[in-house]
Amino acid sequence: MVGRSRWQNNFSEWFNEIVQVAEIMETRYPVKGLYVWLPYGLKLRNHVISALKELLERTGHREVLFPLLIPENLFKKEAEHIRGFEGQVYWVTHGGHDRLDIRLALRPTSETAMYPMFSLWIQSHADLPLKIYQVVNVFRYETKMTKPLIRLREVTTFKEAHTAHATAEDAERQIREAIQIYKQFFDRLCIPYIITKRPSWDTFAGAVYSIAFDTLAPDGRTLQIGTVHNLGQNFSRVYDVQYERVDGSYEHVYQTCYGISERAIAALIMVHGDDIGMCLPPEFAPIQVVIVPIPYKDVQAPIEQTCTEIYERLKQAGLRVELDLRDLRPGNKYYYWERRGVPLRIELGPTDHANQRVTAVRRDTGERIHVPLDRVAERVPQLLREIETSMRRRAWEEFRKRIKTIASVDELQNAIHNRNVGRVPWCGNEKCGLEIEERVEGSVLGEELFTEAPKNRSCVVCFQQANKWLVVARTY
Ligand code: A5A
Ligand code: ZN
């Protein structure tokens, strides 16, 4: 397969094309980095958002909605934050013909909009912890190449959660909860990930430290699909977010924030895709089952009749099902739905009809399964669950195969060049991390978390005792 697959060897072109032909996005909007969600794509997006909201609500996060505009004086309070973002901010300078007294930033993220309100809302210990989130659009004037769903200038699906706590330990606990939520979210999407602590030079602007989830594109580049930041008291000091302790003294709160965007949807498309197009996990697929009749001379009417009955039955069972009665050749219909990632197709031809059965075809494996007519309503949901489980397993298998544990910088360069992610023993010293970035054609993702420390290994740069795994890859 390798060498011929467009999905792997021409991933960028494949992705841009699929996003358009599968009717996820209209990519021809005349502003760079802005795209239009199409009906099919929007359904997919909404299923993804629902899953994320459900996980947040279940853990006590409450949804809010803040304004898009942030006054310049508030935006510029936290020095590190502004240093990190100023090159990416769009400014509103006029209202009609009037020049505004204070310029307004289109939020690139909402810390500086929210935390002045936190300072009003939080008075005492009893107001903590505060856990809120919103799903909004944010604007970032990205200078790297823009790409639908992956690098946008208007991010339309920015889920940002923000929390405030009484102690540093509570904030640490919140970081762990956020990681658990994101794990569950990506597990539901059947997207494999590696979790790293970002190096100091790649920490979120204003954070004490950042943790990131990365997945792998078919071309071997990693894609950051979510981040969790410990903000310490950096923002609460500047925005004066304090609470009164039981003993009457005051302390600044400890904060965290964590975000996910439509990159998660890009990951869904690319991880499970193939040369034909998308393959969507049943939980998120806008259409889970498509029924395609294969008419044949005088059995056309009874075949269509049976298909309609199956359609009704599956719909009643709560499935998102489509009956394709268009005047097209069956082969064209197959291709049409395959590109759009419909996980299961039900065919009913003359032989099936004669045998009182249907043929179910799995999008993920191509496997054809005969199902007796009277068992369709029971078998189809089972098949969808099997598809989900095997999509998750296969994605993780492919992912693990491409994470290479490596003992030298030369091998690391080789591995990255061959579209893998490298994992090398590291002493923990920043200088060694930076030197690696100079010597190989990849970037340091960071220190791998939730893994066993290397034993009796030496750092690939300085050859001192290694106590961490450093993850290095080409990135998006
Ligand atoms: N306030 C915190 C949560 C924040 O802004 N973090 S972040 O900058 O790391 O963004 C969160 C996530 O949004 C990133 O991990 C990335 O997956 C996604 N993201 C960031 N910039 C993006 C862009 N220009 N287009 C699409 N997704 C983006
Ligand atoms: Zn070292």
Side-chain angles (χ1 to χ4, degrees), residues 70 74-85 109-119 162-164 203-210 229-242 252-257:
I70 306 172
L74 280 188
F75 186 72
K76 291 202 164 160
K77 270 193 167 170
E78 210 288 323
E80 284 301 317
H81 191 67
I82 184 62
R83 205 168 304 147
F85 275 105
T109 168
S110 303
E111 285 74 8
T112 62
M114 290 182 170
Y115 302 166
M117 298 298 105
F118 279 26
S119 121
H162 296 261
T163 71
T203 295
F204 179 70
V208 177
Y209 66 80
S210 296
H229 311 290
N230 190 332
L231 305 176
Q233 294 176 308
N234 291 350
F235 286 87
S236 63
R237 287 206 187 96
V238 191
Y239 290 95
D240 200 30
V241 191
Q242 297 192 60
H252 291 108
V253 298
Y254 294 82
Q255 292 180 274
T256 80
C257 68

Side-chain angles (χ1 to χ4, degrees), residues 379-396:
R379 267 304 272 155
V380 166
Q382 271 174 8
L383 281 169
L384 291 175
R385 282 193 294 275
E386 283 168 35
I387 290 172
E388 176 179 328
T389 309
S390 80
M391 282 178 73
R392 182 178 300 114
R393 189 182 338 108
R394 200 154 75 164
W396 272 104

